[in-house]
Amino acid sequence: MFSATFDPLGNIWLSAAVAAVPIILFLLSLTVLKMKGIHAALLTLAVTLVLSFFPFALPTNVALAAVVQGIVQGMWPIGYIIIMAVWLYKLTVDSGKFEVIKGSLAMVSPDQRIQLLLIAFCFGAFLEGAAGFGVPIAICGVMLAALGFNPLQAAMLCLIANAASGAFGAIGIPVAIIDTFHLEGVTAMDVSKATNTTLPFIAASTPFLLVWILDGFKGIKETLPALVVTSGVFTVCQMAVTYFIGPELADILPPLLSLIALAALSTQWQPKTVFRIKPEDQEETTRHSFGKILSAWAPFYILSAFVIVWSLPVFKALFKPDAIFSFTNLSWVLATQGDKKIGIDIGLINSTGTAILMAVIATILISGKSLGVAQALADLKKTAKELWLSIATISFILAIAKLTTYTGMTQALGEAVSVTGGVFPLLSPVLGWIGVFMTGSVVNNNTLFAPVQSIVAHHLHIDPALLVQANTAGGTMAKLVSPQSIAIATAAVGKSGQESTLLKMTLKYSVGLLLFVCIWTFILTLML
């Protein structure tokens, strides 16, 4: 904090009310005023900048430095990771590999319950980890519809499946972004480990929930081996990755391994009764050789390999001060106040985005004539054009978060909210749910509310990582019904205009999962 006090009005409730203005304004701009995200972020940034001068008396140079720091961090590493991830996905489509991937999934079983697990749960989680930002909902919804699922039902199932993976979308950015806030006593790795207290229950139960929605308890009974394998492999692997490696691969390795495990099981076992929504609708599946399938999946296991290397402590050590590659880390000091400073740090090589770039280059090289350099560069241009608005919005929201942190606004909110005492952990996930419902992004939600959760946790003598992960988990449950997700899902399956119908179909599952997260978080704070 760079302001003289977090209570400039001499009354914590009045100061907190002023500090809440940026959050309330942003949410109202999106909902009541129906503004685009970028416009809502710009308006909120302008108002937050004014409030940082009065009443919080933040020095002008510090305020401007905070804005610059937030914008730059939104572009690097976050924007860099997003663009690289979506670029890699587009390359698999244009090289023809994605069609083979889609066909390989359909080859595993004619039973649509198994196809649902493979596509909506396993492959959807993988796409969430590789690209995020609505890609798994759109792609998997289309795939299920093409395989004979009712379009709106396909969209709903993909939204619900996302509950298991939404916390770690786009190479773990929702959790990894925690490190950019420099919160007291909590890092992205702490939050990654803390997610093991809650999210494994969601991950383990989601496959069962999907099959139950499609075919009731009869479906669960008939596909129990597949459910146990899929749920078990995914959950155990995700727990191991988030605890020992971090958030980056939490939606890369687990879905890949669970997909492989389910495919292997299906070679030896199939449900006694083949379930089809329309029994007569048996689509002919294109058969692909093992070599062709292996080649089609190459971009993604290459990606996994590079991200694993980039996550290793021995690799990270190469970029520490005075280490061999420390010269690739760029830094600038933007403002100082006593022994405190605001700066920009850019790691050119050790960024996760560079690991994805290496996977992109390898994909281009192994694709041969099916994907030339010119096409790859055209895809990069198209990706940047499509995503610049989202990245700009994230950058401005980060700038808002920096201002609210350096002025003490976040601390004022935390001081006021902490008076709810032991009840707050019960409501903590609701704050995250509201954040994602309004912004459509777990990244934006954590940017807005993770600092508040951390400060309240310190006041209540609770591990701040526990409440930040509750904010993340609660927000993930809102991805099922956020206007952005609903719009993407209906558009993908050709049902634009039926957003309210899809929302009604999905809302009860979102609220039910949120209720579990709230109660369990409260229990955890009593136990730990």
Side-chain angles (χ1 to χ4, degrees), residues 199-231:
L199 290 178
F201 294 104
I202 304 296
S205 61
T206 298
F208 291 85
L209 178 59
L210 291 171
V211 171
W212 177 77
I213 292 170
L214 187 63
D215 193 30
F217 288 109
K218 177 179 76 71
I220 291 178
K221 182 180 178 180
E222 292 180 353
T223 61
L224 191 58
L227 287 168
V228 170
V229 168
T230 305
S231 173

Side-chain angles (χ1 to χ4, degrees), residues 361-386:
I361 293 172
T363 297
I364 295 171
L365 292 175
I366 66 173
S367 296
K369 294 180 181 180
S370 64
L371 184 67
V373 175
Q375 179 62 53
L377 293 176
D379 280 342
L380 175 59
K381 182 179 178 180
K382 184 179 179 181
T383 301
K385 185 177 180 180
E386 290 176 354

